[in-house]
Amino acid sequence: MTLSDIPALPKLGRTWYRRGALYWLCRVRTTVFLIVFMALYSLFVFGLFEGVRDLLPSHARTAYDWAQVVLCCAGLVWGWIKQRRSHRKALLDPPSPKQTWIAKRDHNRQAGKSAGFGAAGGRVLIALAAPVMPAFAAYLVGWLAAWTTVREYPSEVGARRWLQEHPSGT
């Protein structure tokens, strides 16, 4: 089997096949990017939390703080569990390399459409969601942490199965 017979996957290229140093560098790059993203997002959410907290009377702040602690812990665990269940389900029926590229293309198109939502609409949604934003951020952190710590992505499993079914790479 030649290198050209191995299908390329989004963000991993053909490195997934041998899982050498370049593969792990791709995985580390993704993880570092997500850690930076989660840190910046959490700082933003903490600012929203402080803004909402400052609006509350002093006797309500303690109850609000404890409610946020409970909601954040629940959100973190829920995000982790939700991602792990989704991952387990995806491993049972992994996508072929072609399906992976189609899903990536569709995701990129959808992301492009949602970018045009508008600044005013986004500000209104953030203002409405500000009181529960820390719990949402915790859910996102749990989901992303679970996603980056998997042994193998479903796209890799699907590509390996596809290679077994198509040994010539066609």
Side-chain angles (χ1 to χ4, degrees):
M1 178 176 304
T2 64
L3 186 63
S4 62
D5 293 336
I6 300 167
L9 296 176
K11 294 184 180 144
L12 293 174
R14 291 182 172 89
T15 64
W16 63 269
Y17 184 71
R18 288 208 168 84
R19 295 173 66 101
L22 193 55
Y23 169 82
W24 291 108
L25 282 173
C26 289
R27 294 277 304 254
V28 166
R29 176 193 64 197
T30 300
T31 303
V32 168
F33 169 77
L34 288 175
I35 288 171
V36 169
F37 169 78
M38 288 186 286
L40 292 174
Y41 183 69
S42 295
L43 285 172
F44 169 74
V45 168
F46 185 73
L48 285 175
F49 168 75
E50 283 295 315
V52 169
R53 191 175 183 275
D54 289 344
L55 296 174
L56 296 173
S58 61
H59 62 278
R61 289 182 187 159
T62 304
Y64 180 69
D65 291 346
W66 280 106
Q68 288 300 328
V69 167
V70 170
L71 289 172
C72 287
C73 289
L76 187 71
V77 171
W78 183 34
W80 180 277
I81 290 171
K82 183 97 168 141
Q83 165 50 24
R84 288 299 170 147
R85 285 181 181 163
S86 172
H87 182 73
R88 219 174 294 121
K89 184 179 176 187
L91 287 176
L92 295 175
D93 187 24
S96 70
K98 184 176 180 178
Q99 290 170 326
T100 300
W101 280 105
I102 290 170
K104 175 71 174 153
R105 183 195 65 208
D106 292 346
H107 171 77
N108 289 347
R109 282 185 186 164
Q110 196 64 28
K113 287 179 185 177
S114 65
F117 182 74
R123 286 189 202 118
V124 169
L125 282 177
I126 288 174
L128 290 174
V132 293
M133 212 55 154
F136 179 73
Y139 172 85
L140 185 64
V141 167
W143 194 95
L144 289 172
W147 182 71
T148 58
T149 57
V150 297
R151 185 178 309 136
E152 198 171 35
Y153 296 126
S155 59
E156 296 174 62
V157 174
R160 287 193 196 287
R161 287 186 185 170
W162 184 87
L163 272 178
Q164 289 173 349
E165 295 167 6
H166 303 87
S168 65
T170 56

